[in-house]
Amino acid sequence: GVINSPNWPANYDHDDDCGWLISVDVNHVVQFEFTDFEVENHINCSYDHVAVYDGPWESAPLLLMHCGNQLPDPPMIKSTGNQMFVKFKTDGSTTKKGFRATFSTVRTRLYITFTIK
């Protein structure tokens, strides 16, 4: 799949607050990769930013919070489970082009251990 910030590749709006829940099959993980990125820069990303969480909501562990005009390094992120939440938040000042990202599903290996007695 593909996720774009609103209006991409034109500038996003002021005060956007968007979220995307990505769910894949059980025993799979989400592979998420930014392909374009231009968001207002700030040292703490407290103005405009994209946040990626390792689970279905914002209280899940934060995998990445990013802003600026460079792709994150590395641009690809993997979840540890079958859900990922992406949040895009902007303030009321500067707007930029935003971001574009792709995502896919990757099967995890299932290991079964047992003891013979």
Side-chain angles (χ1 to χ4, degrees), residues 3 20-26 28-30 55-57 79 81-86 103-105:
I3 294 176
W20 297 268
L21 174 61
I22 303 169
S23 288
V24 297
D25 291 337
V26 175
H28 289 73
V29 296
V30 179
W57 44 73
S79 63
N82 70 321
Q83 293 183 314
M84 179 182 280
F85 186 70
V86 180
F103 63 90
S104 58
T105 180

Side-chain angles (χ1 to χ4, degrees), residues 20-96:
W20 297 268
L21 174 61
I22 303 169
S23 288
V24 297
D25 291 337
V26 175
N27 296 327
H28 289 73
V29 296
V30 179
Q31 183 171 290
F32 185 86
E33 184 170 9
F34 288 99
T35 58
D36 194 18
F37 204 95
E38 185 181 305
V39 173
E40 181 182 10
N41 195 32
H42 182 264
I43 193 163
N44 296 325
C45 294
S46 59
Y47 298 150
D48 300 353
H49 64 266
V50 179
V52 181
Y53 298 91
D54 194 13
W57 44 73
E58 290 178 73
S59 61
L62 181 66
L63 294 172
L64 171 83
M65 181 178 285
H66 193 65
C67 61
N69 61 2
Q70 301 292 319
L71 290 172
D73 185 22
M76 187 187 326
I77 304 163
K78 281 188 184 178
S79 63
T80 59
N82 70 321
Q83 293 183 314
M84 179 182 280
F85 186 70
V86 180
K87 177 85 171 182
F88 179 59
K89 184 108 171 97
T90 71
D91 66 5
S93 63
T94 304
T95 64
K96 302 272 185 174

